[in-house]
Amino acid sequence: MSKNKVFKATFIVMVMTILSRAIGFGRDILAAFHFGVESSYDIYVASVAIPESVFMIVGLAISTTFIPMLSEVKHNKGKEEMFKFSSNVINILSVISIVIIILGLIFTKEIVNIFVPNFSSDEIELTIFLTRITLFNVFLLCINACFISILQVCEDFIVPALLGIFFNLPIIIYLLFFNNVNVVGLTVANVLGNLIRVLVQLPSLYKQGYKIDLYVNLRDEKLKAMLILIIPVIIGAGANSINMLVDKSVASGLVTGSMAALEYSQRLIQFVSTAITTSLVSVVYPIMANRLNEGDKEGFLKYLIKSIVIICLFLIPITLGIMFLSNDIIKLIYERGRFNSNAVVLTSMALLGYSIQLPFAGIRDILNSSLFSMKKTKVTTLNGIVGVVVNIILSITLSKYFGVLGIAIATSISALVIAILLLKSTWKIVGDFNIKALIYKLTKILISSCIMIVALFALNKLIELNNSFVKIVLCGTVGAVVFFIMCMVFKLEEFNEGLEIILNKFYRGSR
């Protein structure tokens, strides 16, 4: 990509992703209205989380190892051979998924008891029933991960960014228009949403030249290489998903509604993370893989450093802003229907703890991607294991004293530990990685963000605001202006590049 193309592609994907996540917010608001933080929603969260969290790890591992392989085949042998390899992988993984579903249906009770050991017998029975429905998501999520990888290597980033809209549509329709809403119907709508998410990608895949093919070749050397990489990647890339599952498991032993509170707050954090980190990684990761295949190490390092700075440019001020406004954010988004003041307190505590992780998780994801593209999977595996162990120990310990806040803080500390370890590992592997220049830029962003928060504290001392909407809008506007001014004062290169792109687009559009 030419100069500033990363900004342009990321900006477009970010807008599409924000639109998709906004619709997801609509879904969560409706769910909060109908269920609040009742035990029935805890059960729904558990039944969906068991197959989804486990397969999010596998799905992430598939896409992470699949993209470099696809890029290599495309570069060396062309698109047609890439699609042939894709069909081979998809068909084999489909068979494996079906086997997993069958085993899951047989051993559902044992699986549920492992993940939510503190549920009552009635809650366990309903969780088992719902989990048997959501197990079909394993197959759908597998196909979805493969389809997204193909589109991204073909540099089609828009369709993957819009998939959340199609997933949420049946859930929103169910919550809006059906009478006697319950968790069983909600679970069925969830599975239907995953099916639609797969189907809507087919037209774009066909446009690229892909066709469904039942080709299977177990002796494919590329397949063997991918399978060798996939196990360590599951641990390295899946640390976040494992941590989310650990969080819910520990929360099952806390007060009723703890799992729901974690779920609602995680949705908010995922919105920010997806809109910024995932948008950037989905654009940059295939580019970095292509640069390595072309032997362009300088280009690879350029995109890596720029990506880390851009992520922090967004996420550090957003993190401090969320921490400052956590209670008002939860009130504005969720407080209606059965979501009462107690639910607000519980969920805002979880949001406060989870928000700390945002910049560290962003750095972790981009460094994981860079190491995967270099096929340094052992490094990511070891760092991922350390992060998961830290989260398990801290979640169990801190939850005893701080409840959901302790669980959320444990996850954030885990993200910090992994980010530091990955940064250290990347520095050693790359060699000429300019760590001093990176730290210098990140320090400028941190100082700018701290000045922003000081300004917001001063604003709240001068003006007493009781309306959450007005407070968020006013603080968000003032905070953004202060942060932008500080970035210009510090002459932050990445901020100036992004601002130049936006101004140029506005200028051309107004002529």
Side-chain angles (χ1 to χ4, degrees):
M1 286 187 175
S2 60
K3 188 178 184 290
N4 292 332
K5 277 286 183 72
V6 174
F7 274 103
K8 294 177 182 178
T10 303
F11 181 76
I12 293 170
V13 172
M14 195 178 295
V15 171
M16 296 296 100
T17 304
I18 289 172
L19 173 62
S20 176
R21 284 289 174 174
I23 292 174
F25 267 146
R27 173 205 64 204
D28 292 338
I29 290 169
L30 289 169
F33 177 84
H34 284 288
F35 301 103
V37 291
E38 294 177 353
S39 61
S40 61
Y41 199 70
D42 275 354
I43 293 167
Y44 168 76
V45 169
S47 63
V48 171
I50 290 169
E52 283 197 0
S53 295
V54 172
F55 197 77
M56 273 176 65
I57 302 166
V58 180
L60 183 59
I62 289 169
S63 59
T64 304
T65 54
F66 201 25
I67 285 176
M69 291 292 178
L70 289 175
S71 174
E72 184 179 334
V73 175
K74 181 186 175 186
H75 182 263
N76 295 331
K77 298 182 179 180
K79 253 189 176 184
E80 188 175 340
E81 192 64 28
M82 181 188 74
F83 290 139
K84 186 178 179 181
F85 172 63
S86 301
S87 296
N88 190 28
V89 172
I90 291 171
N91 293 332
I92 292 170
L93 289 175
S94 297
V95 173
I96 294 172
S97 297
I98 292 169
V99 172
I100 291 172
I101 291 171
I102 293 170
L103 291 173
L105 291 171
I106 295 170
F107 299 106
T108 315
K109 184 176 181 179
E110 289 76 11
I111 294 169
V112 168
N113 279 313
I114 290 172
F115 287 117
V116 284
N118 298 304
F119 271 8
S120 68
S121 58
D122 289 341
E123 290 172 333
I124 288 286
E125 287 302 315
L126 182 54
T127 307
I128 290 170
F129 176 72
L130 297 183
T131 301
R132 283 177 175 150
I133 298 173
T134 59
L135 275 170
F136 293 97
N137 281 338
V138 171
F139 172 77
L140 297 172
L141 290 169
C142 171
I143 303 301
N144 181 62
C146 293
F147 282 0
I148 289 174
S149 298
I150 297 170
L151 289 173
Q152 288 179 344
V153 170
C154 293
E155 300 195 0
D156 181 347
F157 304 110
I158 305 301
V159 173
L162 290 172
L163 293 179
I165 295 175
F166 298 102
F167 166 71
N168 288 312
L169 213 54
I171 300 175
I172 290 173
I173 290 171
Y174 174 70
L175 292 172
L176 272 177
F177 300 110
F178 281 68
N179 295 322
N180 302 318
V181 169
N182 57 62
V183 289
V184 176
L186 189 62
T187 305
V188 173
N190 177 283
V191 176
L192 183 59
N194 277 308
L195 174 61
I196 294 172
R197 182 161 56 179
V198 169
L199 295 178
V200 295
Q201 294 181 76
L202 290 174
S204 296
L205 288 166
Y206 289 153
K207 186 178 179 181
Q208 293 290 343
Y210 174 82
K211 292 180 181 178
I212 294 175
D213 187 351
L214 299 179
Y215 169 75
V216 173
N217 179 10
L218 295 174
R219 297 181 179 180
D220 190 327
E221 292 300 322
K222 297 180 293 296
L223 178 66
K224 293 178 182 178
M226 180 177 168
L227 291 175
I228 290 170
L229 291 172
I230 205 167
I231 300 301
V233 171
I234 284 175
I235 302 172
N240 185 49
S241 298
I242 294 171
N243 285 342
M244 288 169 64
L245 202 56
V246 168
D247 291 355
K248 291 183 174 68
S249 180
V250 174
S252 69
L254 300 179
V255 297
T256 298
S258 294
M259 291 181 70
L262 290 174
E263 177 73 5
Y264 289 128
S265 58
Q266 279 177 355
R267 295 288 188 186
L268 288 166
I269 296 301
Q270 285 172 353
F271 171 80
V272 178
S273 180
T274 302
I276 297 170
T277 305
T278 307
S279 298
L280 183 63
V281 171
S282 67
V283 173
V284 172
Y285 180 47
I287 295 171
M288 289 196 296
N290 290 337
R291 291 294 175 272
L292 285 176
N293 285 323
E294 294 164 5
D296 183 8
K297 186 179 179 181
E298 184 179 343
F300 169 82
L301 288 172
K302 171 188 171 184
Y303 286 117
L304 174 60
I305 294 171
K306 190 177 288 291
S307 298
I308 294 174
V309 175
I310 294 171
I311 282 173
C312 291
L313 185 66
F314 283 102
L315 292 182
I316 290 178
I318 287 174
T319 294
L320 294 180
I322 292 174
M323 293 174 69
F324 184 74
L325 297 166
S326 59
N327 194 65
D328 292 288
I329 291 170
I330 297 301
K331 278 185 176 180
L332 178 64
I333 295 174
Y334 293 125
E335 192 178 26
R336 56 187 59 83
R338 295 188 179 181
F339 201 97
N340 55 29
S341 58
N342 291 332
V344 168
V345 172
L346 198 61
T347 308
S348 62
M349 286 193 297
L351 179 63
L352 175 64
Y354 275 138
S355 64
I356 301 169
Q357 72 176 296
L358 277 170
F360 309 125
I363 295 172
R364 176 199 65 201
D365 290 347
I366 197 66
L367 290 175
N368 265 332
S369 296
S370 67
L371 289 165
F372 292 147
S373 61
M374 291 186 282
K375 298 181 181 178
K376 300 293 183 180
T377 55
K378 289 183 180 179
V379 175
T380 59
T381 301
L382 292 173
N383 292 333
I385 290 172
V386 172
V388 170
V389 171
V390 167
N391 185 54
I392 291 172
I393 294 171
L394 290 179
S395 288
I396 294 171
T397 304
L398 296 179
S399 66
K400 294 177 181 179
Y401 301 100
F402 306 108
V404 293
L405 176 61
I407 293 174
I409 289 175
T411 300
S412 294
I413 294 173
S414 172
L416 168 61
V417 170
I418 296 175
I420 292 172
L421 292 174
L422 287 172
L423 193 60
K424 184 178 178 181
S425 299
T426 304
W427 191 7
K428 286 182 178 180
I429 292 168
V430 175
D432 52 357
F433 185 72
N434 195 342
I435 191 72
K436 290 183 179 179
L438 177 61
I439 292 173
Y440 181 62
K441 289 183 178 183
L442 296 185
T443 302
K444 287 183 178 181
I445 295 172
L446 182 60
I447 293 172
S448 300
S449 301
C450 289
I451 292 172
M452 176 196 77
I453 288 298
V454 170
L456 294 185
F457 270 110
L459 177 65
N460 278 265
K461 286 287 184 181
L462 292 172
I463 305 173
E464 186 175 342
L465 298 171
N466 296 319
N467 185 289
S468 293
F469 176 77
V470 174
K471 186 175 180 180
I472 291 171
V473 171
L474 181 60
C475 289
T477 303
V478 172
V481 170
V482 172
F483 181 73
F484 289 167
I485 291 172
M486 293 311 304
C487 285
M488 287 189 287
V489 169
F490 283 125
K491 297 179 181 179
L492 200 61
E493 178 187 347
E494 284 72 15
F495 173 81
N496 292 334
E497 288 178 4
L499 186 62
E500 182 183 346
I501 289 169
I502 294 170
L503 291 175
N504 286 341
K505 282 184 177 291
F506 178 79
Y507 176 70
R508 287 199 299 269
S510 64
R511 285 192 303 178

